[in-house]
Amino acid sequence: MNQPTEPKADKSGVRRHNLSLVLRTVHEAGETTRAAVAARVGLTRPAVSSLVEQLLDLGLLVESGKTFSGQAGRPGTVLKPADTGPAGLGVEINVDYVTACVADLTGTDRVRRTERLDNRASGAGEVLARAARIAAGALDEAAGLGLAPAGAGLALPGLVSGGTVRQAPNLGWNDVPAERLFAEALTALRPATAGLPVASDNEANSAALAELWFGSLGEVRTFLHLTGEIGVGGAIVVHGELLRGAHGFSGEIGHVVVDAEGPRCRCGARGCLEQYAGQAALLASAGAAGVPDLARRAGAREPRALAALAEAGRMLGRALSGAVNLLDPEAVVLGGIYPHLMPWLTPALTEELADRVVSGLWTPDAGRLRPASAATDAARGAAALVLRDVLADPLTHAVAAAGGRRD
Amino acid sequence: MNQPTEPKADKSGVRRHNLSLVLRTVHEAGETTRAAVAARVGLTRPAVSSLVEQLLDLGLLVESGKTFSGQAGRPGTVLKPADTGPAGLGVEINVDYVTACVADLTGTDRVRRTERLDNRASGAGEVLARAARIAAGALDEAAGLGLAPAGAGLALPGLVSGGTVRQAPNLGWNDVPAERLFAEALTALRPATAGLPVASDNEANSAALAELWFGSLGEVRTFLHLTGEIGVGGAIVVHGELLRGAHGFSGEIGHVVVDAEGPRCRCGARGCLEQYAGQAALLASAGAAGVPDLARRAGAREPRALAALAEAGRMLGRALSGAVNLLDPEAVVLGGIYPHLMPWLTPALTEELADRVVSGLWTPDAGRLRPASAATDAARGAAALVLRDVLADPLTHAVAAAGGRRD
C-alpha cells in the first residue's frame, strides 16, 4: 500500500483543501465509505482515513455501524454528514414577515419560525432587532437538537451590497448596514454569537439558490426565478451560478416596465411589473384580503378576482418574454405567492410567452414555466450559503460553530 | 542554468499547450523578448527558445533586428506576432449588405470588402454563394499580402446554432445550414479552401466580441451591446465572456416589447423594439432615404426626423432600462447605425434610463451609454474568433492555413 504524502503542517492549505474535498464528496453522496471517497477524489486510503478522522473529531461527519458494499473498494463503515454540530442560520426579512430557519449540514431545515407583521411600520433598526429576536429563538430550539450556528445568512428585499441594503423601496430603507445591525442585536441577546460570520444577499437570489440546491429542477441549471411578494424579485441562474451583475444589482424584474403610462411605482417610475403582479397591487385589484382569500375567490370564479389574475399573468408574460428573449433560460420558476395562483395566472402568461419569445421554444406545452418547490424559500437559501462556506473550509467554520456552542 | 524538461513527443499535449501559452504571451505583449516570455510564463529560457523556434518556423511569430531592454531579463531580439501567414476570414451577412474581412494574427483588419445589396430579394443559397464570392475576392487580395486563412467565421442576423440559422425573420430564413452552404460555395470558387474550418454566430454576438477585443471599453468587461441594423441585435457580455443562454439564443433585445399595442413585427408579435428603433422603421418614420440622409435632416432640425429619433431613443430607453434592471451591466454600447445618430437618440434614451433603472447608477452624466468604436464590427469579430482558435492551438491551425496556401 502506498504511504500517504501528508503535508507537514496540519493547517496547511493542502490539508484544508483536502478536508473540504472529502467533506463535499460525502455530502454529495449522502452515504458512502472511506474507500469510495478515496476512489472518487484520487487520494490514498490512509490519507482519506486521516482526513475523515479529523472531520469526525470536528463533528462534521458521523459513522453508522452498518457496512456498505454497493460502491468501489471493500465494504466499510458508512460515513454521513453530521445532522448535529455546525449549522446554517438563515433569516429572511420581507415586507410583511420575518422567517428564521436553522439547516443542518445535509441542508435539511430543522427549525423554522415565521412571524407575520408589517415591517414598513417600523424603522430598519427595530426590524433587524426583531429579526434577531426571532433568530435567537430559533437558535435556542436548534441548540436542543445539538445544532450550533457556523454563520448567519440574511435575505433582504432590495439592492444589497457590501453588507448594506442600498435601497429597498418597499421597506423604505436606504443605506441600512443590515449585517452589522443584525449582528449587534443578536449578540446583545446571545453573547456567545459574538463574532459569528454574517452574510447578506437579495431575497430573490437566496430563493433561487434554494430552488437550485433543494428544488425539483432536475437537469435545469440555467433559469430565471421570480418571487412574488409585496415586491416582485427576480434572480438569474446561469449554468448553476447566480448572475449578480457588475454591482450585485441584477434580477430587478419587478421594475421592468410593462406599460409606460401605468401607475406610479414606489421606485419612482411608471408602469413597473410590480404595479400589476406584486402582492399588494394584485390583492387591491382583485379586492381580496390576502392570498388565500384571492385563491378562494378565483376558485369560485369571481369575475373581479379572475380579471386581476389574468391581468397579472399578462403583465408577467410581457416582462418575462423580454427577459427570455434576452437570456434564453431553460425554465422560469415562479415562487413566493405565485405557486398558489398558477391555475389563474398561467393561461395569459403562457400565451404572451408563446407569442413573443422569438426562439419558438416557449409553447404552452413545453413545460418551461414551473412553480417553485414548496420546500424552498429565501431563508433556506440564506442558510445554505452558510453551509456552502462550511463545506468550502470545514476547519474554520466548525471552530466558529464550536465557539458559538460554549455558552 | 536549469535544463528544460522537454516533453518527449513533439505533438504532445504539453507542448501544444506551451506553444499556445508562448504565442498568447507574445500576442498580449505586442512586442517582447524570449527572456520576458520565460519570466512571464514560468518556463525555462531554453524551453521558451525551443517553443519560439517552432512558432517562427510555423510563421506565427517574427523577429525584428532591434534589441529591447525595457522588460525583465537581459536584452534580446524582439518577438512579434506575424503579420503574414495564418489569418482569420470574417464574413458578415446582413439584411442589406455583406462584408468580408481578413484579419492578421495581431487582429488587424488587413483586407475589407463590403457590398450593399438587398439580401431579402434572394434565396438563402444564393445569398451565401454571393458571400462566398465576396470572401474569395478578399482572400485573393489577402494572398497578395502573404495572408492565408486558418478558418472562416460567419456572422449572421438571426438565431444561430450548430452551424445552422434556425430563424432570421428579417431575411426570411428558417433552418438554413449556413456553414455548409458557405463552405461548399467557397470551395467551388477556391478548391484550396476545401476543409477550411467554418464557424458561425449571431452577428450581434460577433460585434460585441469585436468591441470587447478591439474597442475602447477600457476596464469594462460586463456590458450590453446593441447593433442597430434592419433588425436590432443584442449581445450580453459578462466578465469578458458572451452569455449565450441555454440554447445559444440570448440577446434578442430587438423583440423585447416596448408597446404591447404597437405595430406588428416580422417575428409575429406586436410592439417589438425593432418596430421603433430598427433601421427600416426609423427611416420610414423619419421620411429619410438612408442613415446619412437621416443624420443630415436631424442636423438641419427637421421636425419629423427629430421626432422619429426621439421616439426611437425613448423606446430604446424603455427596453434598455428593463435589460439593465435585469442584468446590471457596467455599460451599454450602441453599434451599427446608432453611433451616427447618438446626438438625437441620447436625450430621451438617458432620461428613460435615469427614471427607470432602480440601482440609481444610470444618471445621464454617468457615462455608461457609449457608441461602439468605429474600428469594430461583426465581420471583424467573426475573424477574431478564428484568430482565437489559432492562439489556442497554433500547430493545428497554422497547418490548416499552410494547406490553404498550396494552390
Side-chain angles (χ1 to χ4, degrees):
Chain A
M1 191 185 287
N2 290 331
Q3 285 303 305
T5 50
E6 287 289 320
K8 289 188 191 78
D10 193 61
K11 292 192 177 179
S12 76
V14 172
R15 190 168 177 94
R16 265 174 198 272
H17 172 83
N18 287 344
L19 280 170
S20 167
L21 190 63
V22 169
L23 181 59
R24 282 182 284 127
T25 304
V26 178
H27 186 261
E28 272 162 37
E31 292 197 344
T32 186
T33 62
R34 288 169 176 78
V37 171
R40 181 69 188 270
V41 303
L43 292 172
T44 62
R45 266 294 299 270
V48 166
S49 288
S50 160
L51 294 161
V52 164
E53 290 313 312
Q54 188 170 1
L55 292 167
L56 289 167
D57 286 348
L58 288 166
L60 295 164
L61 292 182
V62 290
E63 284 179 305
S64 86
K66 63 177 170 170
T67 55
F68 187 69
S69 57
Q71 297 189 15
R74 59 183 181 139
T77 316
V78 169
L79 295 170
K80 298 191 296 190
D83 61 0
T84 57
L89 169 65
V91 180
E92 179 185 3
I93 298 172
N94 219 310
V95 179
D96 54 349
Y97 64 87
V98 171
T99 295
C101 76
V102 180
D104 68 26
L105 200 57
T106 71
T108 306
D109 220 357
R110 300 284 298 281
V111 174
R112 170 167 288 261
R113 296 187 172 203
T114 294
E115 287 192 17
R116 304 217 152 257
L117 70 193
D118 191 342
N119 286 320
R120 289 169 291 200
S122 317
E126 197 178 326
V127 170
L128 287 156
R130 184 184 295 156
R133 182 178 50 70
I134 297 167
L139 289 179
D140 286 339
E141 192 179 335
L145 302 171
L147 293 166
L154 301 181
L156 300 155
L159 304 177
V160 181
S161 75
T164 293
V165 178
R166 299 293 165 197
Q167 201 188 338
N170 287 312
L171 283 172
W173 290 12
N174 286 295
D175 293 319
V176 171
E179 286 181 12
R180 181 172 62 74
L181 293 175
F182 176 82
E184 287 172 2
L186 187 63
T187 305
L189 292 165
R190 274 179 65 101
T193 64
L196 191 72
V198 179
S200 59
D201 202 347
N202 176 273
E203 50 100 20
N205 283 347
S206 305
L209 288 178
E211 190 65 31
L212 177 70
W213 290 334
F214 310 117
S216 47
L217 284 167
E219 297 298 301
V220 170
R221 282 289 173 273
T222 296
F223 64 99
L224 209 67
H225 190 281
L226 262 69
T227 317
E229 307 283 356
I230 301 288
V232 179
I236 302 162
V237 177
V238 176
H239 304 317
E241 294 288 334
L242 273 175
L243 190 148
R244 294 181 176 277
H247 318 91
F249 297 157
S250 69
E252 290 290 337
I253 198 166
H255 301 282
V256 166
V257 57
V258 290
D259 181 354
E261 311 303 322
R264 181 76 62 187
C265 180
R266 303 261 327 217
C267 79
R270 282 195 176 279
C272 296
L273 173 63
E274 204 159 293
Q275 294 305 311
Y276 301 88
Q279 180 182 310
L282 181 54
L283 294 180
S285 166
V291 175
D293 183 45
L294 175 57
R296 190 187 56 71
R297 286 167 188 265
R301 309 211 60 73
E302 199 176 281
R304 188 176 164 192
L306 293 175
L309 286 162
E311 173 83 343
R314 189 157 44 247
M315 295 308 192
L316 279 166
R318 231 180 246 181
L320 279 172
S321 66
V324 168
N325 277 326
L326 276 171
L327 295 166
D328 181 27
E330 291 164 89
V332 168
V333 178
L334 298 181
I337 65 170
Y338 297 138
H340 313 290
L341 303 170
M342 283 188 72
W344 308 286
L345 291 170
T346 302
L349 205 174
T350 51
E351 192 184 330
E352 289 284 323
L353 287 171
D355 282 356
R356 297 192 179 280
V357 175
V358 283
S359 70
L361 296 172
W362 288 72
T363 53
D365 56 355
R368 296 186 181 276
L369 187 73
R370 44 182 91 184
S373 307
T376 66
D377 71 356
R380 193 168 178 202
L385 278 174
V386 174
L387 301 174
R388 189 158 74 165
D389 287 342
V390 176
L391 293 175
D393 186 0
L395 205 50
T396 304
H397 290 87
V399 170
R405 241 191 337 242
R406 267 196 295 259
D407 66 315
Chain B
M1 190 185 286
N2 291 332
Q3 286 302 304
T5 50
E6 288 288 320
K8 290 187 189 79
D10 194 61
K11 292 192 176 180
S12 75
V14 173
R15 189 168 178 94
R16 267 176 196 271
H17 172 84
N18 286 343
L19 280 170
S20 168
L21 189 64
V22 169
L23 180 58
R24 282 182 283 127
T25 303
V26 178
H27 186 261
E28 271 161 38
E31 292 197 343
T32 186
T33 62
R34 288 169 176 78
V37 170
R40 182 68 188 269
V41 303
L43 292 171
T44 63
R45 265 296 298 270
V48 167
S49 288
S50 160
L51 294 161
V52 164
E53 290 314 311
Q54 189 170 1
L55 291 167
L56 290 166
D57 285 349
L58 289 166
L60 295 164
L61 291 181
V62 291
E63 285 180 307
S64 87
K66 61 176 171 170
T67 56
F68 187 69
S69 56
Q71 298 188 12
R74 60 190 179 134
T77 316
V78 169
L79 295 170
K80 298 190 297 190
D83 62 0
T84 57
L89 169 65
V91 180
E92 178 184 4
I93 298 171
N94 218 310
V95 179
D96 54 349
Y97 63 88
V98 172
T99 294
C101 76
V102 180
D104 67 25
L105 200 57
T106 71
T108 306
D109 220 357
R110 299 287 297 282
V111 173
R112 170 168 287 260
R113 294 185 173 205
T114 294
E115 287 193 16
R116 304 216 152 256
L117 70 194
D118 192 341
N119 286 320
R120 288 168 291 200
S122 316
E126 199 179 323
V127 170
L128 286 156
R130 184 184 295 153
R133 182 179 50 69
I134 297 167
L139 289 179
D140 287 339
E141 192 179 336
L145 302 171
L147 293 166
L154 302 181
L156 299 156
L159 303 178
V160 181
S161 74
T164 293
V165 179
R166 300 293 164 195
Q167 199 187 340
N170 288 312
L171 283 171
W173 290 13
N174 286 295
D175 292 321
V176 171
E179 286 181 14
R180 181 172 62 76
L181 293 175
F182 176 83
E184 287 171 3
L186 186 63
T187 305
L189 293 165
R190 274 179 64 103
T193 63
L196 192 72
V198 179
S200 58
D201 202 348
N202 175 272
E203 51 100 19
N205 284 346
S206 305
L209 287 179
E211 189 66 31
L212 177 69
W213 290 334
F214 309 118
S216 47
L217 284 168
E219 298 298 303
V220 170
R221 282 289 171 274
T222 296
F223 63 100
L224 209 65
H225 190 281
L226 262 68
T227 318
E229 307 283 355
I230 302 287
V232 179
I236 302 162
V237 178
V238 176
H239 305 317
E241 294 288 333
L242 274 175
L243 189 148
R244 294 181 175 276
H247 318 90
F249 296 157
S250 69
E252 290 291 337
I253 198 167
H255 300 283
V256 167
V257 57
V258 291
D259 180 356
E261 312 302 321
R264 181 76 63 187
C265 180
R266 304 263 325 222
C267 78
R270 284 196 175 279
C272 296
L273 174 62
E274 203 159 294
Q275 294 305 311
Y276 301 87
Q279 181 182 311
L282 181 55
L283 294 180
S285 164
V291 175
D293 182 44
L294 175 56
R296 190 188 55 71
R297 287 168 188 264
R301 309 212 59 74
E302 200 177 280
R304 189 176 165 190
L306 293 176
L309 285 161
E311 174 83 342
R314 189 156 42 247
M315 295 308 193
L316 279 166
R318 233 180 245 182
L320 280 171
S321 66
V324 168
N325 277 327
L326 276 172
L327 295 165
D328 181 28
E330 291 164 89
V332 168
V333 179
L334 297 180
I337 66 170
Y338 297 137
H340 312 290
L341 303 171
M342 283 191 69
W344 307 287
L345 291 170
T346 301
L349 205 174
T350 51
E351 192 184 329
E352 289 284 324
L353 287 172
D355 282 356
R356 296 192 179 281
V357 175
V358 282
S359 71
L361 296 171
W362 289 71
T363 54
D365 56 353
R368 297 186 182 275
L369 186 73
R370 42 182 93 185
S373 307
T376 67
D377 71 357
R380 192 167 178 204
L385 277 176
V386 174
L387 301 173
R388 189 158 73 164
D389 288 341
V390 177
L391 293 175
D393 185 2
L395 204 50
T396 305
H397 290 88
V399 169
R405 240 188 339 239
R406 269 195 296 260
D407 64 315

